[in-house]
Amino acid sequence: MASGDEDDPIIEEIDVYLSKSLADKLYLLQYPVRPGTMTYDDVNHLSAKIKPKQQRLELEMAINTMSPNYCRSKGEQIALNVDGTSFDETNTYSAKMMDKQTFSSMQATTNTSRYAAAVFRKGELHITPLTGILQMRPSFSYLDKADSKTREREAANEGGDSSQDEAEEEAKAITVRFARPESEQARQRRIQSYEFLQKKQAEEPWIHLQYHGAKDSRSDHERQYLFCQSVDASQNSELVKTPKEYLAMLMPPLAEEKIAKPIGPSNVLSMAQLRTLPLGDQVKTLMKNVKVMPFANLMGLLASGTDQTSVLRCIQQVALLVQGNWVVKSDVLYPKNTCSAHSGVAAEVLCRGRDFVMWRFTQERSVMRKEIASIIKLPPEDVKEFLEHVATPRVNRGWEFLLPTDVDFIKKHPDVAHRQNMLWLGIQSKLEKVFNFSKEDFMPKNSPQPEPVHVSGVQRLKIAQERAQENQASLQRDLDARRPGSSIPVKQEPIGDCEEELMDTSSSIPNGSVNGYPSATSPCLDHANGGSPLNRLTPELQDFVTKTFQKHVVLTLNELKRLFNLHLASMPAGQNVFSSISDHMLQDAVLLCQCKQIMVPFPAQSKAALDERKVFGLWETGDNFDKHRRLLYDLFTKSYRVRRNVIQAKLAQEFGEVSKAEVDRLLHDCCISNAGYWYLKGTLQS
C-alpha cells in the first residue's frame, strides 16, 4: 500500500458542499438544434411560462427582422396565414409579420437523481441537485393555427356540402339504457389513454415567469444560491458518510431499478425505451399507437440492422394487410373481457364491427359511414372511432383510406400478400355469416369502365394542326367538289374493323373516348395521333364551331352536337357541305378554334352522360377579358361548383380591383346559378 501511495500521491484535497437553496427549482436547459457557440443570451426574451408538475417550459424569443438573413415576404405570408387579415388582440403576430418564435421543452431524462450543477470557488466545490433537464426545441404550433384557419375558410366556402353531414332523422321513440358500472380494467385503460393524459396536462395552469438575462443584477443575486450558505460539516450530513456507507453508495446492492413515471404525456414510451423491448413487443407497441403504417416506415422506426424477415413474422401476428399497408388487428386494440369506452359494448362485438370496416377497405378506397353503421349496427361513436383509425373524411366521397396503396410492398413480397389475401377470405366468410350479407351486395351495378389512355388537349391540338397542314391540298379539292352545283357523288366508305364511328346526332353515345381522352379499348383509334386520319376538317366546320363558341363561350360536347344538328336542319336542301362528321372531328375542330377542354371534377354521384362531362370553353379571343375567363376555368378544374365570393376574391387577388359589371359579364357568359352556387354551362344536372 505504501508503494502504491508513493506512485499516486495526493496533490490536493477539495472540500465539497451540498447547496439546497435551489434544489427544487434548478433546471438545465439544452438547445440541441443550435451549436454551443451560438447562444441565445443576447436575444430578446419576450415571455416565459412553466408547468412545474409536468416540467414543461415555454420561452418566447424575438426574431431580428432587420437581419439580412430574414425574408420579409415569407414572414408576412406566415403571419397572414396564421392571423388572417383581421386585427385582433388574440393575433399571434401583432406586427403582421413573423417577428418571434416559441421554444417548447421536452424532458431529456426522467431520472435526474444523478445530475447536479457544480460551482468551484476558492478551493471549494459547491453542488446543487438538478430538478430537471429540459431540451428546448422550436414550437410550430402556429402552423396548426394556420391549418385551422384554412379549414374554417374551406368549410365556409363549401357551405356544409360534405357527404358526412348526416341530416337529422325524424323524431322517434328511443329506449333509455343506463351505462354499466366502470370495471377496474376499463378504468385503468381510461387513465392510461392519451386523451386522459392530455386532459390532465391541460388541467395544470401555466405559471408566468419574468426573464432576467445572464448579466442582469437579479441573475447575479440568484447565482449566489448555488453556493452552500452554511459551511459547517454538521449541516452537510449527506456528504459525511462512514466508509461502509460510502462503499454502499458506490456499489449498491442488486435490485430492480424503479423508474419514476412523470405526470402528463411524457409517460409515453420513448424510442430509447422502446428499443430495449423484444422485437415482437416493439412491433406491437408501434402498431397499437400508430394504427396504420407502411412497412417501410415500420422498418425506419426500428433499430438499424433489424432483420426484415423477423419483422415480417412479427407484424403478421399483430396486424393485417390492407391496400399494401399494415393495420393493427382489432383484438390488439380491444382485448378480451374489455368494453368500449364510449358505449360499453363488449370487445368481441367491437372486433367484429372493426373487422368489417377493414374488410371494406380491402375492396374499395372509400366507404360511406351510413352504409357501415346500417350493417354492423353499433353506436355512432364506435363507428366513427373505427373509421378515424384508418381513414379520413373527404367531401362527397365519404371516408377515404388514410394511406395510398403500397404497390412496392405487394410486388416485393407476393407471398405475404397472397397469405394475407387468403386470411381476408376467411374473415369475409365469417363476417358474411354474422352480418348476413354477400360480397356481391357491394359490387357496382354497372361494369367498370376501361382504364383511359390519357392524351392532353394540347397534344390533340398540335396533332390536329399538323394533320390539317399535311392535307391542305386534299382539303381544298374536297371543298371545290362540294361547291353548289357540283354533281360529284359522295364517297361511300366501307364499314371495316377500324372505321371511326360517326357522330350519332340523335343521342349521346361513347365514341371511343372517356371525358375527352381516347379509350384503350377503341380498336379503330390511333392513340398516337388522337384520331382516325380518314376524316377531314373542312373550313365550313371550323367556321361553324368558331361562331358557335363566340356566341355561347362554354359548351358541352352534347350541347355542341345538338346545335350542329339544328344547323344542318336549317341548311337548304342540296347545299349540305358536311358529310360523315364524327365526334373526334368535332372535338378537333373545337381545339383548332382557340378553345380548350375544361376538366370539371364531376361529383361521384353525378348521372351526367359521357358527352355531358366533356366541357369546352373559349380560350382566346384577343381581348383583355381572356385572362378573366382562364382564371374562372382554372377554378372549375378544382370544383364543379363555386360561390360568387370565391370568384371575386380570386379575381381581386390576381388582377386587383374588378368591377361588379365585369364579374356579372364573366358569370353571364360562362355560368349558370343555382342555390347560391355557380356552375359552368351544361354541367348543372336537373
Side-chain angles (χ1 to χ4, degrees), residues 122 223 264 301 408 489 551 596:
K122 297 180 181 180
R223 271 194 290 269
L301 291 172
D408 293 338
K551 179 180 179 181
K596 287 191 178 181

Side-chain angles (χ1 to χ4, degrees), residues 7 20 63 87 93 108 149 207 210 271 293 350 395 430 507 516 596 645:
D7 294 338
K20 298 181 181 179
I63 297 177
F87 290 87
Y93 304 110
K149 289 271 187 182
I207 298 177
Q210 185 175 359
M271 292 302 296
M293 188 190 311
L350 293 175
V395 175
K430 293 180 181 178
S507 63
K596 287 191 178 181
N645 61 342

